[in-house]
Amino acid sequence: MTDPRPESDRTPTSNPVLRRALAWGVVLAGVVLVVSGILGLVFAGTEGLVSALVGTLMAVVFMGITAASILFANRFASSDLFVGAFFGIVLGGWLLKFIVFIALVVLLRDADWLNPTVLFLSLVAGVIASLVVDVLVVARSRLSYASDVELPKAPRDD
Amino acid sequence: MDATTVLAEINGNIATVGYGLAAIGPAIGVGIVVGKTIEGVARQPELAGRLQVLMWIGIAFTEALAFIGIATYFIFTS
């Protein structure tokens, strides 16, 4: 049965939180990018700089895909297939992300224009920074307990 | 031929086992997080938005370990 209400009614209330987390994630990624880039340049020269940029970008992009996939899946909130589509998109995205990540790691491992240690350290820094952003955004978000409540509709006379 | 060679010889890089563990741990973790979210939403659909946020942060923490575990490929040399 198709729900007659407009789509905006059924979009889960988690959307603003996820959007804010993505935005702050990009901001903090910029900070980590600059810091790790400078440290990489100091300790390993141009190779270190490039490795730091690649590592931070990988961390932020791959960590951000979860929030992005939930946001994308929420677009289908008014669909009858929402639950299936939601978990298909979020978990399918998760699986795809890890396959791409493993492939990237294998490809980049032997690249001679990269410094593996700097790459690993900046990737860890990026992952931790993105977790810090996630926790801060969730801790500051305010969602009411019954945010997605559906009130019974008024009876119609027809 | 000694007993180790006959019974328990292992060839290759032992780090491979680590990558397997780095995949299976978070997979179980994310499975539990998502399953419990489905349970929660089934009990109280009005909490869907809140539970989605909690699910997302649970997945983020679980997958962080997977990323770091798989990325150790960069520093562990055979």
Side-chain angles (χ1 to χ4, degrees):
Chain A
M1 198 184 86
T2 313
D3 197 300
R5 289 173 306 156
E7 192 182 352
S8 56
D9 267 2
R10 307 197 62 182
T11 307
T13 42
S14 56
N15 268 12
V17 181
L18 296 171
R19 213 167 283 138
R20 210 176 311 137
L22 272 183
W24 278 107
V26 170
V27 172
L28 199 72
V31 177
V32 174
L33 209 65
V34 171
V35 173
S36 63
I38 291 172
L39 288 178
L41 191 65
V42 168
F43 288 107
T46 322
E47 256 177 39
L49 175 68
V50 176
S51 310
L53 298 185
V54 172
T56 314
L57 276 180
M58 272 169 77
V60 171
V61 168
F62 283 104
M63 291 295 284
I65 285 178
T66 312
S69 66
I70 295 177
L71 272 177
F72 179 69
N74 278 346
R75 291 182 176 203
F76 302 97
S78 56
S79 156
D80 291 338
L81 298 172
F82 176 54
V83 176
F86 180 82
F87 289 109
I89 290 170
V90 174
L91 296 180
W94 197 80
L95 197 65
L96 200 69
K97 170 171 77 176
F98 268 96
I99 292 171
V100 173
F101 184 68
I102 292 173
L104 262 182
V105 169
V106 171
L107 283 177
L108 293 179
R109 167 83 190 265
D110 297 320
D112 48 2
W113 46 276
L114 287 175
N115 181 325
T117 313
V118 175
L119 185 67
F120 175 74
L121 289 178
S122 55
L123 199 135
V124 172
V127 167
I128 292 173
S130 116
L131 285 180
V132 169
V133 166
D134 294 356
V135 169
L136 285 180
V137 168
V138 170
R140 286 169 180 225
S141 68
R142 293 287 174 264
L143 283 176
S144 62
Y145 270 102
S147 46
D148 292 284
V149 70
E150 291 185 27
L151 296 173
K153 297 179 199 92
R156 281 188 289 185
D157 290 333
D158 52 19
Chain B
M1 203 181 281
D2 62 308
T4 318
T5 319
V6 175
L7 296 175
E9 194 189 21
I10 298 175
N11 287 317
N13 192 348
I14 191 67
T16 317
V17 180
Y19 309 137
L21 289 174
I24 199 170
I28 294 172
V30 168
I32 292 175
V33 170
V34 172
K36 291 287 176 186
T37 306
I38 297 174
E39 255 176 45
V41 175
R43 284 167 192 262
Q44 279 169 293
E46 70 273 14
L47 282 183
R50 282 178 72 89
L51 292 177
Q52 226 179 52
V53 170
L54 295 177
M55 179 190 87
W56 160 68
I57 198 124
I59 291 180
F61 270 89
T62 318
E63 76 184 357
L65 285 175
F67 277 129
I68 294 173
I70 292 168
T72 51
Y73 188 59
F74 284 119
I75 52 168
F76 293 160
T77 47
S78 51

